[in-house]
Amino acid sequence: MSSSNYYDVTTWPVGNASKDVGEVINSIIADIKDRQSATDENSGGKPGAVIYLPPGDYHLRTQVVIDISFLRIQGSGHGFTSSSIRFNVPEDEWPGLHELWPGGSRVIVDLPKGADTEEAKGAAFYVERTGSPRISSVEFSNFCIDGLHFEADGSGMHPENTYVNGKTGIFVANENDSFRVNGMGFVYLENALTIYNADALSVHDNFIAECGSCIELRGWGQASKITDNLVGAGFKGHSIYAENHGGLLITANNVFPRGASSVHLSGVTRSSITNNRLHSFYPGMLILAADSSENLVATNHFLRDHEPWTPFVGVGNGLDDLHGLLSVTGSNNSVIGNHFSHIIDAESIQPAGATPVIIRLVAGAGNFVSNNHAVAMDVHATSSDSCFSAQVDALLTTEASKVLAVTAVSVDPASARNTILDSGSEAQIVADRAVNAIRATPAIGS
């Protein structure tokens, strides 16, 4: 492709992309700003540019600072492979592995460690522009951002299992419009994607896993979507988190286990969480907090089971089984047509002897809970040193010793005037019938 607005990092005359792609991209951005200085020229003036990273490894030792609109940084392959599995294989077996590192168009975050622990300082790509209009239409597409290693955190865990290294993939600091993060790979970053004050953001078709936290929408925002991603955070962080957003669409995501939550929404209103597959080793899978109201939670598949991989057995998120797989603090939410599989060893229940809760209405009013189905089984927990085989075996096993007693819907005193229909038997619904409308699922033979 021949265009003055198309740049290849490997042919740009400033810097060396393999040694410090950050220096190269910053130089390219400076060139774009120098050439595209007119704001109104023939009804145009600033078309932006494409920066291309061919397949290869690119160390990033200088933070990329983006302050222009209409910029697309693209590669030729998200390149994800599991660093976690490899780091938990004995080193004497590494020579027999087909690959050791992620591939594709791979940016390796090698920013120098400093005394400043602020998350933005550790970001490979830092986006910030003040003034009017908001920075718009910045796109990240089809390349890998790799944090390379995690570090010891004083816990005694293997350093590569801590999810801590002070590195962030992309950090957007202030108001933005119509950003796109599509087809990317993120691996071994403490924070993969952190975006403040997003409007019409699309996070779509990415592979974001083995990161401390994966997707975090902070500050406030509207009309954004998180769709069709493969996502899995570490036990200290969020797979999908959003605060103070309206009109957010979270759909068709496959959320892997080990994140402290699958989806955590704080102060989110009039949004949809639909058709996701959510898998977790802990309670607190989907949390609607801080008066999250008028949201639709529908046709999601929840699977809560036990951690089968030896390096992480015994790790938790600090919540007990009374918290609920889905908890709601807010009003006028609709929870409809979800399937819950709760497949755990009864001996692991916390507190001991408690009856685990599936849906918990914590506070608020006017929530509508209808036609949800819970399958709860008591299984004997096993573990394996092989991550892949252990996980697949756990997913495919449906045999169980007996049915596990659960509370399908629990309503706290601070939540009232709710309608609960066909989401559990009479005995499985714990609620004050005087202040909530309840129709239990009919029992066989009744």
Side-chain angles (χ1 to χ4, degrees):
M1 179 184 292
S2 177
S3 169
S4 59
N5 295 322
Y6 181 91
Y7 299 82
D8 184 325
V9 297
T10 62
T11 60
W12 185 245
V14 177
N16 182 316
S18 64
K19 293 181 178 179
D20 187 2
V21 74
E23 178 190 12
V24 174
I25 293 175
N26 283 339
S27 175
I28 292 172
I29 291 172
D31 184 72
I32 297 166
K33 292 164 71 172
D34 182 61
R35 291 189 307 99
Q36 299 182 16
S37 58
T39 57
D40 187 7
E41 186 175 51
N42 297 323
S43 299
K46 292 189 175 183
V50 172
I51 299 174
Y52 175 59
L53 295 87
D57 288 340
Y58 304 96
H59 289 264
L60 185 144
R61 296 184 168 95
T62 302
Q63 183 179 72
V64 174
V65 178
I66 298 172
D67 59 357
I68 59 173
S69 295
F70 319 126
L71 179 68
R72 178 182 175 92
I73 302 176
Q74 67 180 32
S76 289
H78 71 75
F80 182 93
T81 192
S82 174
S83 291
S84 181
I85 292 177
R86 193 257 301 167
F87 281 129
N88 285 279
V89 170
E91 286 193 40
D92 60 3
E93 296 181 17
W94 290 9
L97 301 178
H98 292 294
E99 298 95 21
L100 286 180
W101 302 102
S105 300
R106 175 182 176 227
V107 173
I108 302 166
V109 185
D110 269 343
L111 292 171
K113 296 285 287 186
D116 193 336
T117 58
E118 182 183 350
E119 180 185 340
K121 300 296 184 184
F125 296 87
Y126 179 77
V127 184
E128 182 177 21
R129 187 179 76 181
T130 58
S132 183
R134 300 167 295 178
I135 189 169
S136 300
S137 299
V138 175
E139 301 181 45
F140 300 88
S141 177
N142 205 27
F143 65 96
C144 177
I145 305 178
D146 181 5
L148 202 62
H149 293 285
F150 289 129
E151 302 170 352
D153 63 354
S155 67
M157 293 189 73
H158 189 301
E160 298 290 2
N161 294 335
T162 64
Y163 297 96
V164 173
N165 61 10
K167 298 178 181 180
T168 296
I170 299 169
F171 188 101
V172 182
N174 51 16
E175 293 91 337
N176 58 89
D177 187 22
S178 61
F179 275 36
R180 299 289 181 267
V181 182
N182 293 346
M184 293 286 292
F186 298 81
V187 62
Y188 260 53
L189 300 156
E190 187 166 341
N191 297 278
L193 180 63
T194 301
I195 300 181
Y196 280 84
N197 305 347
D199 187 356
L201 163 73
S202 175
V203 181
H204 177 75
D205 193 25
N206 302 285
F207 203 117
I208 312 176
E210 297 178 6
C211 294
S213 283
C214 293
I215 302 168
E216 296 201 8
L217 307 187
R218 300 183 187 167
W220 46 259
Q222 66 167 356
S224 295
K225 70 184 186 76
I226 301 171
T227 55
D228 201 25
N229 300 285
L230 296 157
V231 185
F235 57 89
K236 298 178 180 178
H238 303 290
S239 289
I240 299 173
Y241 173 83
E243 61 188 21
N244 305 317
H245 269 62
L248 178 63
L249 174 64
I250 301 174
T251 194
N253 298 287
N254 198 332
V255 181
F256 310 145
R258 204 165 291 118
S261 61
S262 299
V263 179
H264 187 134
L265 306 181
S266 178
V268 170
T269 59
R270 303 185 179 105
S271 297
S272 297
I273 307 95
T274 58
N275 300 305
N276 300 285
R277 185 258 181 182
L278 310 177
H279 184 188
S280 180
F281 299 141
Y282 327 117
M285 296 179 64
L286 173 52
I287 298 172
L288 303 184
D291 197 29
S292 291
S293 298
E294 298 177 49
N295 298 295
L296 173 64
V297 180
T299 61
N300 299 286
H301 189 288
F302 294 74
L303 169 61
R304 191 278 165 110
D305 60 3
H306 64 273
E307 170 68 75
W309 194 25
T310 302
F312 291 97
V313 169
V315 173
N317 66 351
L319 301 178
D320 65 32
D321 290 289
L322 297 177
H323 185 277
L325 302 187
L326 188 165
S327 66
V328 178
T329 300
S331 300
N332 302 311
N333 297 286
S334 295
V335 180
I336 302 171
N338 299 284
H339 177 97
F340 298 86
S341 289
H342 196 264
I343 313 300
I344 62 171
D345 190 330
E347 294 183 0
S348 70
I349 293 172
Q350 296 294 327
T355 301
V357 174
I358 305 298
I359 300 171
R360 182 180 174 193
L361 305 183
V362 179
N367 294 293
F368 182 77
V369 180
S370 178
N371 288 88
N372 299 283
H373 179 53
V375 176
M377 307 299 288
D378 178 5
V379 299
H380 176 63
T382 60
S383 62
S384 171
D385 290 333
S386 172
C387 177
F388 180 68
S389 63
Q391 192 62 69
V392 172
D393 287 347
L395 284 171
L396 296 181
T397 298
T398 57
E399 296 179 358
S401 58
K402 61 181 178 179
V403 173
L404 181 71
V406 295
T407 297
V409 183
S410 177
V411 184
D412 289 12
S415 184
R417 302 192 305 280
N418 304 292
T419 300
I420 302 166
L421 306 175
D422 300 317
S423 295
S425 67
E426 188 70 32
Q428 290 177 322
I429 299 174
V430 177
D432 185 344
R433 267 71 172 169
V435 294
N436 296 284
I438 296 170
R439 184 180 70 200
T441 304
I444 295 175
S446 63

